[in-house]
Structure formats: C-alpha cells, structure tokens
Amino acid sequence: MLIKEMQVGKTIEILVEREGYHYRFVSKVEGVSLNTVAVSRISAKNRNFHFEDKDNITIIYRGEELMWKWESVKGGLAMLDGEYVHTFSSKAEGTIYNRREAFRVPIGESFLIRRIVREKVENSTENLKKEAEEGTEKEPEIIEREIPFKALLSDLSITGAGFYTDESLDIDMEITFDIPTESMGMLSCRGVIRRVAEVRDKPFRHFYGVGFTVVKKGLEKYLFERQRMMLRRERGSGSVKPKR
C-alpha cells in the first residue's frame, strides 16, 4: 500500500523513538498527496509537537480490514486550509502490520502507580495588577502533580498495560509508573487510560487498560527477557514419568 491510498478520516498511530524514549500519538488523516500524509495537529499543553531529523518515526494506518506500517518516515509541520497539521513522508510501500507484534506479557505484581493532575498556578493580585498596567499579562503557569495509588499490574506490552486497583479513574486520565530492573535501572512508563471495567471476582474493584504515550528505551528488551524466563520455568516444571 502507498501513502497516497490512505483515506481521510482514518486513524493513524505515530511511534517516535528519541534519545532513549518512545512516544506514541494517535491522530487522524486530514489529507494525502503522492508520498505524504497530513494528520490532525499533535500538541502538548497547546504547543505543537516538534519532530526532529534524528527521530526514528513509524506510522501505523488502520484501513478497512488491515493495518499498514511505514518505518523511518520524516515528520514535519504544515498548513492545510488555514490550520496547522503534522505531515509524514515516505516513498516506500507500507507493510502489513499485525497487532500481535506488540505481545503482552503477564506480570501479576503489586505496583505503585501515579495519576497525573494538572493545576494552574495563579499569580498574586499585586503582580496581576502590575502586569495589567504594563500590558504584559501572562497565562497562568500549569504544574503537574503525581498522586500515587496501589495497583496490581496485570500485563504489559510495548504499547500499553492493564492493571487492577480500587482507585476510581476516568477515561483519558494520564498515569505513570516505574518498572525496576536489574540491568537497565528504572523503566519509566507514561500513558492514558483507554478502557475501564468493573471487577467482581478480584481483590480490586476496577480494571483499567492503558495506552502508552512515553516509555523509556529498554522496555522491549525487558519484556523479551521476562518472557524467556517464563518459558524456562514452564519447561522446567514439566512432569517426568518414572522409568519402569
């Protein structure tokens, strides 16, 4: 499949590897040309995300029946019908993408997860008055607070995780947590809650599915190592029939 065959309105995922971190964005197709797709503007705190030349970018397009992947694409910013859009360009053909590539590994361990709360820091009345007189009014500063809660991490993949907790959380709420490893230190994961389910037969009341937006490089290696350990344990626990 070529980029020019994409359909406007379809969902597209953007995976970015930069300086040891992985970023994941979800957007939609706004327009296509020969080798370039334009997607809805990607922003953080109302600022356009800036793609750098050294970024390793992969885009995944969801068609009618299949998903397609383009690797090593170039990202940029442009105007379309008077609005900012992000663009991704590649002359290569897309390859069929299987979501199973992002395999999930069962974890079943207690974790301390943190929900992210954003708050405005208002300036003092005196400073507000001074800024108004000088015509230098500034937007209130926004700070992030992380509020911890106990959870049971059910499963983990390079694109997301699932966990149980008694904490009441909402769709689109941001969370973050750290995975301790022996060889790579702490692997930081940050994501957005995409799925919520009530639980009746578990110690916890709620189950949440998370789609990652930022993960530290090394998570994929950690998952492979953990899966190998599980397979070795399963093979080692196989029963052996006694000889007669």
Side-chain angles (χ1 to χ4, degrees):
M1 180 179 181
L2 297 172
I3 282 181
K4 67 178 183 181
E5 299 176 77
M6 292 183 179
Q7 298 179 26
V8 173
K10 291 291 186 180
T11 300
I12 195 164
E13 294 180 52
I14 302 99
L15 310 178
V16 184
E17 182 179 334
R18 175 189 295 178
E19 297 180 351
Y21 286 86
H22 294 273
Y23 300 84
R24 175 180 175 270
F25 306 102
V26 179
S27 190
K28 70 174 183 177
V29 177
E30 298 288 354
V32 294
S33 59
L34 182 61
N35 300 312
T36 301
V37 56
V39 306
S40 303
R41 181 176 68 100
I42 300 166
S43 63
K45 297 182 182 178
N46 207 32
R47 295 181 179 178
N48 296 328
F49 188 88
H50 176 66
F51 291 95
E52 301 176 357
D53 291 338
K54 60 184 178 181
D55 288 343
N56 183 8
I57 304 173
T58 298
I59 58 174
I60 299 171
Y61 169 78
R62 300 182 185 182
E64 294 293 343
E65 298 179 356
L66 297 173
M67 299 177 71
W68 301 83
K69 178 174 69 174
W70 285 261
E71 298 179 302
S72 300
V73 304
K74 296 296 182 183
L77 189 67
M79 295 288 290
L80 179 66
D81 297 330
E83 300 286 342
Y84 278 111
V85 293
H86 276 99
T87 61
F88 302 96
S89 303
S90 174
K91 295 180 180 179
E93 288 192 26
T95 58
I96 294 176
Y97 175 73
N98 186 347
R99 181 61 77 182
R100 291 179 182 175
E101 292 178 16
F103 62 91
R104 285 188 177 269
V105 175
I107 302 296
E109 296 178 4
S110 297
F111 264 74
L112 197 63
I113 296 179
R114 306 180 297 277
R115 61 185 176 95
I116 297 172
V117 178
R118 291 188 176 89
E119 297 176 341
K120 289 184 179 180
V121 179
E122 298 290 350
N123 211 335
S124 66
T125 304
E126 183 179 342
N127 286 339
L128 288 173
K129 183 178 179 181
K130 183 178 179 182
E131 290 174 1
E133 291 173 350
E134 297 175 352
T136 58
E137 293 93 341
K138 299 177 182 178
E139 291 291 329
E141 182 185 358
I142 297 179
I143 62 171
E144 289 186 353
R145 288 197 303 122
E146 297 182 356
I147 302 174
F149 60 89
K150 294 180 180 179
L152 179 71
L153 192 63
S154 170
D155 55 79
L156 187 67
S157 78
I158 58 173
T159 61
F163 65 88
Y164 295 94
T165 183
D166 285 331
E167 191 82 2
S168 294
L169 307 172
D170 298 321
I171 291 289
D172 293 333
M173 181 176 287
E174 287 189 88
I175 61 97
T176 183
F177 61 91
D178 302 313
I179 303 170
T181 69
E182 293 183 359
S183 59
M184 294 171 286
M186 287 289 190
L187 298 180
S188 300
C189 301
R190 179 168 176 152
V192 176
I193 293 176
R194 302 297 187 193
R195 184 163 64 92
V196 178
E198 298 303 312
V199 180
R200 295 183 179 179
D201 59 345
K202 298 283 184 182
F204 296 99
R205 292 180 298 170
H206 311 289
F207 176 82
Y208 298 97
V210 176
F212 287 148
T213 54
V214 183
V215 294
K216 192 173 182 180
K217 190 175 182 180
L219 179 60
E220 189 169 7
K221 180 181 177 182
Y222 167 78
L223 291 172
F224 275 117
E225 289 179 351
R226 183 148 188 144
Q227 189 182 52
R228 275 203 303 267
M229 290 174 59
M230 290 171 56
L231 290 173
R232 283 200 296 266
R233 284 199 298 266
E234 289 176 3
R235 290 167 185 162
S237 63
S239 59
V240 180
K241 294 182 179 181
K243 293 181 180 180
R244 292 183 178 179

